[in-house]
Each structure stands twice: as structure tokens, then as C-alpha cells.
Amino acid sequence: MNTPKRLTISQELTIYHAMDLKEQFIEALADADALELDLSQVAEIDTSGLQLLLLTKREAGRQGKQLTIVAHSPAVRQTLDFCNLASFFGDPVIITAHEQA
């Protein structure tokens, strides 16, 4: 299997950026057999951002490709936990020492 393509998102996963990010996610998925999303820098996520992640995960499965979230910001982790979706994505969530303090 080829090395996964990594996409680091530094802007908010909100309605204000959803259309641009959707295009970016779909293009990145089209260019790779596996896509890793680094969401460690995402300061805010709303329902539009959550829907975008769900759409991308579903589209990856439809295409027989792998989508993995490799780093979760506190905002992303909190939203996935609140919506009980961590198991849907199936990615390990790592909490760093400075986040625990």
C-alpha cells in the first residue's frame, strides 16, 4: 500500500469554511489511496464541520479508500465525544500531557 497522503487543517471546521474544505478533502481523497487528516490545529468545529468529516469518511469508504484522523484538537475531540462518534471514525485519540493539566 502507498504511503497515506497527510492533510493538515489549520482553519476552523465551521460553516464559514465548509465549502472550501469540502473541495480540499474530496480532491485530496481523489489523489490518494489513503488520507490522513491532521486536525490538531482546529480551534473550532460546528455541525457543518462535523457533517464534512462524516461525508469524507463515507466517501472514502464508498471509494474503497482509507480515511484516518491522525491528530485531534481538543475542540474536535470534545465534539466527537459529545456526539458519540469517536467509534464511527475508529481513530485512536491521544491526549498529550499539557492537555491533561
Side-chain angles (χ1 to χ4, degrees):
M1 182 175 183
N2 296 334
T3 303
K5 178 177 184 166
R6 182 174 281 213
L7 185 60
T8 301
I9 304 302
S10 58
Q11 62 195 112
E12 299 169 343
L13 279 170
T14 63
I15 193 168
Y16 304 108
H17 303 284
M19 290 305 293
D20 292 334
L21 287 170
K22 178 183 176 184
E23 290 178 25
Q24 191 176 356
F25 287 4
I26 298 301
E27 286 176 15
L29 195 57
D31 292 340
D33 292 329
L35 178 62
E36 294 179 341
L37 290 180
D38 179 340
L39 304 179
S40 62
Q41 299 176 39
V42 174
E44 185 178 347
I45 181 171
D46 65 11
T47 55
S48 294
L50 186 57
Q51 289 174 5
L52 179 58
L53 293 176
L54 292 167
L55 169 84
T56 307
K57 181 74 169 182
R58 187 178 64 225
E59 184 61 20
R62 189 185 69 74
Q63 294 181 24
K65 297 181 178 186
Q66 181 72 34
L67 173 72
T68 307
I69 300 174
V70 294
H72 303 72
S73 71
V76 171
R77 192 173 53 252
Q78 180 181 16
T79 301
L80 292 179
D81 286 345
F82 179 77
C83 296
N84 199 25
L85 288 171
S87 64
F88 173 79
F89 288 97
D91 307 312
V93 177
I94 299 170
I95 300 171
T96 62
H98 76 274
E99 292 180 79
Q100 293 177 350

